[in-house]
Amino acid sequence: GAGVSQTPSNKVTEKGKYVELRCDPISGHTALYWYRQSLGQGPEFLIYFQGTGAADDSGLPNDRFFAVRPEGSVSTLKIQRTERGDSAVYLCASSSRRSVLGGNEQFFGPGTRLTVL
Amino acid sequence: SQKIEQNSEALNIQEGKTATLTCNYTNYSPAYLQWYRQDPGRGPVFLLLIRENEKEKRKERLKVTFDTTLKQSLFHITASQPADSATYLCALDDGGSQGNLIFGKGTKLSVKP
C-alpha cells in the first residue's frame, strides 16, 4: 500500500481480555517498530523487527505483551490479560534497511486507540 | 538516566512570525536527531534528520540546528502559517543497528491568523 496501515483504528475491551493489534507496513520495508503513546506524551518504543525476527524487545513492559511478524511483512501486537493502564494509542512504524549512513526516517501508521474499561 | 526535554508543552505565535522549538537531552550521545510533526488522531510524520557532524539543515521554511556540546537542537519554522499548527516531536537515534527512536513529549504549536 501507499503507507503504513493499522487495524482496528479503535479497540474497546474489558479488563482481563486478550487483544490483537495489526500493522501492515510499507511494502519492501524490512524494519518494523511498535510504539505506545499515552496522552500528552511522545511515542515510547516497544519492539523492533528486522525481517521476521524481533531484534529488540527491550521496550515491552512485561510478559503480557508479545508481537510477531511471521512472514516479514504484517505484524501483530498481542496483549494478554489487559489492564486499564494499557490504554493508549499503539503506533506502528516501518523503515527501509538502515543504510551505511544510518538515520533512516520512520513512516508511521495512524495508530490503534486501545481503551481498557 | 537518559532524558529528552522539549522546552514547552505549548507555543502560541502570530502568523508570519518565526517559531522556535527547543529539544534538550542528557546522558545520551545521539548520532542523529529527527523532527516529526503530529496532527491530532494521526501518527507522526517525518520532517527532518540532522547528523551529529552537521550544524544546520534546511528544508523549505524549516531549519534545524544540532549542538552536541550544548546537547540541544533548535527547530525553526519561518513565515509561520496557521496550517503549521500541530505538535512537533524531536527524537534521538543513537545510530546503532536497531534504529528505535527516543521521543520527547512534543511541543504543541498554535499559529494564530
Side-chain angles (χ1 to χ4, degrees):
Chain A
V4 178
S5 62
Q6 293 186 245
T7 55
S9 56
N10 280 284
K11 176 70 177 179
V12 180
T13 190
E14 293 180 344
K15 180 175 178 294
K17 298 290 188 183
Y18 168 83
V19 296
E20 290 190 351
L21 312 179
R22 176 187 167 108
C23 171
D24 272 279
I26 292 173
S27 178
H29 278 188
T30 56
L32 186 147
Y33 306 83
W34 283 98
Y35 294 85
R36 178 167 71 173
Q37 186 172 28
S38 300
L39 192 64
Q41 304 293 316
E44 177 189 20
F45 168 75
L46 295 176
I47 186 169
Y48 157 66
F49 287 89
Q50 183 61 255
T52 60
D56 182 358
D57 63 358
S58 62
L60 296 177
N62 51 59
D63 61 5
R64 296 186 297 106
F65 288 75
F66 188 71
V68 295
R69 195 186 185 196
E71 297 177 357
S73 178
V74 170
S75 176
T76 304
L77 178 66
K78 308 180 181 194
I79 311 174
Q80 299 177 320
R81 304 183 304 280
T82 52
E83 300 178 356
R84 293 193 180 87
D86 298 335
S87 297
V89 174
Y90 288 81
L91 294 163
C92 175
S94 70
S95 174
S96 57
R97 178 179 289 277
R98 185 185 277 289
S99 69
V100 172
L101 294 177
N104 285 345
E105 63 184 273
Q106 295 187 13
F107 296 83
F108 283 81
T112 294
R113 181 175 298 278
L114 175 66
T115 303
V116 182
L117 301 177
Chain B
S1 61
Q2 296 168 346
K3 194 174 179 183
I4 176 170
E5 287 185 343
Q6 294 191 239
N7 60 323
S8 59
E9 291 188 2
L11 180 64
N12 299 310
I13 65 168
Q14 204 68 30
E15 182 176 9
K17 301 293 185 184
T18 295
T20 299
L21 285 65
T22 305
C23 177
N24 294 290
Y25 57 91
T26 57
N27 298 326
Y28 203 69
S29 297
Y32 313 93
L33 192 144
Q34 301 186 25
W35 284 89
Y36 287 77
R37 168 181 174 145
Q38 188 171 27
D39 291 281
R42 303 284 189 102
V45 174
F46 172 80
L47 296 175
L48 280 169
L49 177 153
I50 187 165
R51 296 183 171 82
E52 61 179 340
N53 60 351
E54 296 177 316
K55 295 296 183 186
E56 180 180 299
K57 181 163 279 188
R58 293 174 184 261
K59 179 183 176 183
E60 298 173 350
R61 294 185 295 111
L62 308 180
K63 184 178 85 171
V64 172
T65 63
F66 193 10
D67 188 325
T68 55
T69 300
L70 291 178
K71 295 185 182 294
Q72 181 182 79
S73 174
L74 299 179
F75 177 80
H76 306 272
I77 305 175
T78 58
S80 60
Q81 304 166 0
D84 295 327
S85 298
T87 295
Y88 292 85
L89 299 158
C90 79
L92 306 184
D93 177 355
D94 67 1
S97 60
Q98 314 295 46
N100 50 286
L101 300 174
I102 298 175
F103 283 89
K105 289 185 178 182
T107 296
K108 184 176 181 179
L109 174 67
S110 295
V111 181
K112 306 296 183 186

